[in-house]
Amino acid sequence: MSAPKTIPKDAQVMIQILKDMGITEYEPRVINQMLEFTYRYVTTIIEDAKTYASHANKSNVDADDIRLAIQCRMDQSFTSPPPRDFLLEVARQKNQTPLPLIKPYTGPRLPPDRYCLTAPNYRLKSIQKKFLFQVSSSAGRISVPRLSVGAVTSRPTTPTLGTPSVQSVTTKVGTPVSLTGQRFTVQIPPPSQTTTTKPTTPSTPAVSNVLINPSLIGSKNILITTNMVSQNSGGESLKRKHEDDDDYDTL
Amino acid sequence: MAAVQGGMGDADIKTDIKTEPSADGFGNNNANDGRVLSASPGSSSSTGSNKQTAPVTPEDQQTLLAVLQFLKKNKLTESVEILRREAGLPENSLDPKANESAGAGSGGAAGIVDLEGGDASSLLSRVTGSSSAGAQAPTKVAEDQPDVSVVLSAYSQQGDPTLYKVYYRDLKKFIETVLDCHRAELSQVFYPLFVHMYLELVYNNHESEAKAFFEKFSGDQECYYEEDLRILSGLTKKEHMRGNETLLDFRTSKFVLRISRDSYQLLKRHLQERQNNQIWNIIQEHLYIDIFDGMPRSKSQIDAMSGSLAGEAKREANKTKVYYGLLKEPEIELPLDDEDEEAENEEGKPKKKKPKKDSVGSKSKKQDPNAPSQNRIPLPELKDSDKLDKIMYMKEATKRIRLGPDNLPSVCFYTFLNAYQGLTAVDLTDDSSLIAGGFADSTVRVWSVTPKKLRKVKSAADLNLIDKESDDVLERIMDEKTASESKIMYGHSGPVYGISFSPDRNYLLSSSEDGTVRLWSLLTFTCLVAYKGHNYPVWDTQFSPYGYYFVSGGHDRVARLWATDHYQPLRIFSGHLADITCTRFHPNSNYVATGSSDRTIRLWDVLSGNCVRIFTGHKGPIHSLAFSPNGKFLASGATDGRVLLWDIGHGLMVGELKGHTDTIYSLRFSRDGEILASGSMDNTVRLWDAMKAFDDLETDDFTAATGHIHLQDNSQELLLGTYTTKSTPVIHLHFTRRNLLLAAGAFNP
C-alpha cells in the first residue's frame, strides 16, 4: 500500500503532539498506535456517556454524562499504582513477619494446590451402561494425559463402563492408590501391564470406573484410580482407559 | 524568633516568615498594638504577597478571619479589637468557609495522599510544633487548629506567582557572585527549586505564569535533567499531575542535597536577610540538606553523584552494615568416585571463590566477618541432585580459563532471528545448557544449547513401568517421543519482560506486562503457578542463587521477594520513586539490588526488608546490574551509556566506565571476577578490566565521612576490547563455567 500523498488530519495532529513533547525519533507505527488509541478511547467514553444519559432518561448526552463516563473509565482502566506512603506502610507490615523456615525434603516446593495451575481443568461426564461394549474396546491403550493449562494435548480418559455411580474424577475405587512422594505420581496398583496397545477383550464388563487423569505436573496431583479389572484375564488390568474421541462425542 | 512586621497602622496583613524555623508555639508572638503577628512558625507564610490594604477578595477575608480566630484563641483581645477595627470586619467573624475547607483538608487524609491535604498536614504539624512529616494528615490535630491552618495553607500556596521569577533570578544572581568553591555546591539547589516552584505554580492553577517560568529558566538546568524537564514541560495543569505517581512522590519526598557547612551558611544567611522568602520556605519544605563538615565539593564530584530523582543519598542511608561476603560452600561428600576425590579436595572448593583478597575459601575455617551467617535467612538444603550439580561444577571449574588483560575470552553470540523486535528477555542456565527467550507475543521459548534435545517426562502410567532402581533412571523418565529442539510455553497475556532459570534447572520464571510472575516446570514444560501481586507490568525477575526465593520488580515501584511455595510475597521492598527496572540477588542471597527509573540503585536486606544502601549517580534509568563474584562490588549500567562501579561495604562509587554510546542492557562479571563484560543497544560487547578497576581501592582511604570520591578517568585503560555485531543489540551476557562468554540478542535489521 503506498503512502497517501497527504497525511490525514488526525495523523498530522499526532505528529504535532509528538513534536511538542520533544520526541524526535519514533517508528512510524507509533502514529497508528496513537490514532487507534484515541479512536478507541473516545468511542468508549461516548458510548458510556450515552448509556448513562439514557439511564438518567435524558434525551441528549450532556457534559455531566461525559464527565461521569471519563471518571468511571479512569478508575477502571487507567489506574495508577498506589502512592508511596501507602506502599511504605504495607511494606512495613509485611516485612515484620520473619521469613518462614523451609521444611526439608518436601519435593517440589509449590503453594497449596488451589493457588497452583496444576489441577485438571475439565470434568468427565458419567457414562451410561449401554455404551459399555463400545468403550471397552478402546481400553488398553495407555494414555498420556498430561495436563497442561492451555495445551490441547491431553486426551481425556474416561470412566469406562461400569457402574453408574461412577462420576468423574477422583474416586478411588478398589485398591487404593498409593501416592508416593515422588515427583511423578503414580501409581496404581499392580502389575503387569504392558503398555502395548493390545486391546483387551471386550469381555471385560467388570471394569469399573473411573479414571482420572493424572496430571503429571507438580507432584501433588493426581489421582487415579483403579480399576477393578482384576477380572480381566491375565494381566490386562487397565489402569486407565481411554476413550476415543468419537466415543466421547457420543456421550 | 519571630520576625514580625507590619508597620503600625498598616492594615496590611503581612505574613512574614520567621527567620528560623522554630518549633515554638504561637504563644510568643504577641502582637502589640496594631502589629499583626506573623503566622504560625514556619508555615507557609510567605510569599510576601502583600495584598491590598482593604481586604476585598474572599481569600483575604478568609485569611483575616482566620487570623482573628487565632488571636481570639490566644486571648489577645486587644489585638483582636484593633484588627477588627482596622479591617472593618463584622462582629461575629466565624467563617463557615474556613470550616468547609478544613473539612476538605482533613478529609484528604485517607488513603491516597491528597496533595492539598498533605501540604495542609505539614503545615498543621508545623503549626502545632511537631515535626513536619509531610505524610498523611494527622487528623487528630486539635480541633481548633484546622480551620486556621488550612486557610493559611491555601494562602501559602498563593505565593504571588509573578514574583517567582524574580525570586529565582535573585537566587541565581546571588549564587553567581559566590566564591568559586561554594558555587558548585550551591548550584545543586537550582534544579529541585526550579521543579518545586514550577509544580507549585501548576498546582495552584497559574498556568501561564508556570509556562513563562519554565521557558525562562529550564535552559539553565544541568543537561542530565533534560528528560525530566521534557516531561515537566508537558505538564501544565493540575489534573496532569494527579495521575503521575512519580511526580507526586517527588513532591512529597524530600530531595536530598549534600552541602558543606560553609556553603550552607552562606545560603542561609542570604535567604534570611531577605524579606520575601518563598525560596527559603520551599527549601525547608521540600529539600533535605545533609550538611557535612569539610571541604566543599568540586563540580565534577557533584556531577558524578547527582542525577537521581531524589537527589543524593543521605549519609545515614549508607551506614548500615552489609554482609557482603559469600556463604561458605558446604562440604560435599563425594560419592563413589575415589579417584576423583583427591583431585576435588585439592582444587575443589576455593576455585570459585575469589582469589586474592579474602580467603573465604574453606581452607580457612574461620568465619569471614563480612559474610552473613549460614542461617541468617533460611535457605533450602541441598538435595542429592544439587550435590551432583556441585560436583559437576567443580569439575568444570578446574577446566576454567584464567582470563586477564592479555587473555581475553572468546565470545559466542546467539542471535535470535525472525523475532520481529519481539525478543524482550533472555536467560541461560548456569551450566549453559538451556537458553530461554521471553517475547512480546507473550510466549516463552526454551532451546537447548547442547546437541541434547529437550524432552518432557513421561506420563504417570509410563513412569510406573520403569525400573526405578536403575542407574539411569533420570534418563528413563524422559519421554523420547517428545524430543525437540525447542519448546514453547504459553500462558502469559502480555509481553514477557523478565526471565530466570532456577539454579537446579527444574524451573523457569517469567514476568510479564500482565502483572503476573509465572513458574514453569522444565520437566513437563507447563505452567505451575502464577504469582499475582503486582497489578502492573513486572519488568524483571530473578531466582536466588540457591533457588527457592525469587525477586520481582515492576511498575508499581516496589520489589517483592517470593518463595516458590508461598502464593504471597514474603517481603516488599518499597522506597523507589519510579518503576523498578532491574532486580538482582547478591551471591549470598541475603541482599537484593534494585535499579530503577528514578536513577538510583538500592540494596535491600532480605531479612528485614530495609534499604541498606542507596547509590546515586546515574543520569538515566538503570537497566542492568551485576554483582561481582566475590560479593563486594556492584556494577550498574543505564541509558546514559556509562557503567558505574560501587563498593557495597562502604557505599561509595569507585569507578566509572565510559565507552558505550547507548543503553547498557547487560552486564556480567567473569567467573573469577577479572573481566566485566557489558552489552548495549549500540550493538557492541565491551570487555573491561575489573581487576584493575578494583585494585587501586585496596589502598585508598575512603573518606566515608564526607563521601568525597575521586574517580579516575581511566576508562580507556580499562577497556580491553570492543566487539561489534552487525545490527544486533546485546541484551544478555553469560560466562560459561569455563569462562567462555556467550551473548544473546535479536537481529534488528
Side-chain angles (χ1 to χ4, degrees), chain B residues 600-639:
Chain B
T600 58
I601 299 156
R602 285 179 185 236
L603 193 69
W604 307 88
D605 184 354
V606 163
L607 185 65
S608 61
N610 296 332
C611 176
V612 295
R613 291 284 182 269
I614 303 182
F615 298 123
T616 61
H618 272 297
K619 314 281 189 276
I622 288 133
H623 282 287
S624 55
L625 291 171
F627 277 100
S628 66
N630 63 4
K632 285 187 172 189
F633 303 104
L634 177 65
S636 60
T639 52

Side-chain angles (χ1 to χ4, degrees), chain B residues 273-514:
Chain B
E273 275 165 10
R274 310 168 71 75
Q275 298 285 42
N276 307 326
N277 257 339
Q278 179 66 351
I279 293 195
W280 181 241
N281 289 337
I282 293 183
I283 288 184
Q284 276 179 276
E285 194 175 329
H286 293 294
L287 265 58
Y288 178 93
I289 301 193
D290 195 23
I291 304 177
F292 63 87
D293 293 307
M295 290 281 298
R297 295 189 291 170
S298 68
K299 183 99 177 58
S300 59
Q301 283 177 322
I302 294 175
D303 273 349
M305 298 295 291
S306 57
S308 96
L309 206 54
E312 300 184 32
K314 297 184 211 181
R315 262 169 306 144
E316 305 86 60
N318 281 349
K319 286 289 178 233
T320 331
K321 179 157 172 62
V322 171
Y323 296 100
Y324 53 81
L326 299 173
L327 292 177
K328 268 218 277 281
E329 293 291 318
E331 305 279 331
I332 311 252
E333 303 131 16
L334 304 164
L336 310 173
D337 260 354
D338 282 342
E339 53 199 86
D340 282 348
E341 221 174 39
E342 283 172 16
E344 300 284 2
N345 281 337
E346 267 172 37
E347 332 163 78
K349 292 127 200 184
K351 212 49 168 184
K352 18 184 178 22
K353 301 299 182 79
K354 258 351 47 0
K356 235 188 166 198
K357 298 166 213 218
D358 2 332
S359 54
V360 186
S362 52
K363 297 237 167 96
S364 69
K365 297 297 176 199
K366 287 196 291 271
Q367 169 81 348
D368 178 7
N370 289 319
S373 59
Q374 288 292 121
N375 47 10
R376 186 168 184 264
I377 61 168
L379 288 172
E381 81 288 348
L382 287 182
K383 299 202 280 268
D384 287 343
S385 51
D386 292 336
K387 294 192 180 150
L388 288 173
D389 276 346
K390 282 232 178 295
I391 293 171
M392 277 303 301
Y393 186 91
M394 287 187 221
K395 282 197 188 136
E396 293 270 335
T398 57
K399 303 201 186 99
R400 187 180 291 167
I401 305 172
R402 291 301 301 256
L403 298 173
D406 44 352
N407 189 11
L408 297 178
S410 311
V411 186
C412 180
F413 200 99
Y414 286 89
T415 313
F416 286 73
L417 299 172
N418 301 329
Y420 302 112
Q421 297 170 342
L423 179 69
T424 44
V426 175
D427 193 27
L428 275 123
T429 52
D430 192 57
D431 62 352
S432 325
S433 58
L434 298 174
I435 185 169
F439 293 86
D441 62 357
S442 77
T443 53
V444 175
R445 290 167 203 246
V446 180
W447 284 268
S448 167
V449 174
T450 56
K452 183 169 175 235
K453 293 195 183 198
L454 299 177
R455 291 168 177 75
K456 300 187 186 183
V457 285
K458 293 180 177 157
S459 65
D462 299 345
L463 283 177
N464 210 39
L465 307 175
I466 62 179
D467 175 13
K468 296 181 189 55
E469 299 300 321
S470 69
D471 278 346
D472 58 348
V473 65
L474 291 173
E475 299 302 320
R476 292 186 186 213
I477 60 176
M478 293 301 178
D479 188 354
E480 289 302 322
K481 290 194 293 245
T482 59
S484 63
E485 288 287 334
S486 75
K487 299 272 182 225
I488 306 179
M489 297 186 285
Y490 298 98
H492 275 299
S493 47
V496 178
Y497 289 121
I499 213 172
S500 173
F501 277 105
S502 73
D504 57 4
R505 294 195 310 126
N506 286 330
Y507 300 119
L508 174 65
L509 271 181
S510 61
S511 74
S512 146
E513 179 260 347
D514 62 5

Side-chain angles (χ1 to χ4, degrees), chain B residues 224-239:
Chain B
Y224 41 82
Y225 290 122
E226 206 179 299
E227 286 291 317
D228 286 350
L229 292 173
R230 206 156 42 76
I231 295 174
L232 274 186
S233 69
L235 209 131
T236 46
K237 295 195 203 299
K238 191 167 158 184
E239 288 75 31

Side-chain angles (χ1 to χ4, degrees), chain A residues 21 29 79-82 84-85 94-95 97 100 105 108-109 111 117 146 148 183-185 195 216-217 240, chain B residues 113 136 245 249 253 381 421 456 458-461 463 465 507 523 526 528 536 557 564 569 571-572 575:
Chain A
M21 293 301 286
R29 291 190 293 178
T79 50
S80 34
R84 194 155 170 249
D85 47 346
K94 195 76 166 171
N95 296 345
T97 52
Y105 308 119
R109 299 191 163 98
L117 301 171
R146 185 167 329 136
S148 39
R183 266 197 182 185
F184 300 103
T185 42
T195 53
L216 283 187
I217 308 172
R240 293 199 195 113
Chain B
V113 172
Q136 302 202 336
E245 286 302 319
D249 282 351
S253 66
E381 81 288 348
Q421 297 170 342
K456 300 187 186 183
K458 293 180 177 157
S459 65
L463 283 177
L465 307 175
Y507 300 119
L523 290 152
T526 54
L528 300 178
Y536 296 92
R557 298 164 299 151
T564 52
R571 288 285 179 263
I572 294 188

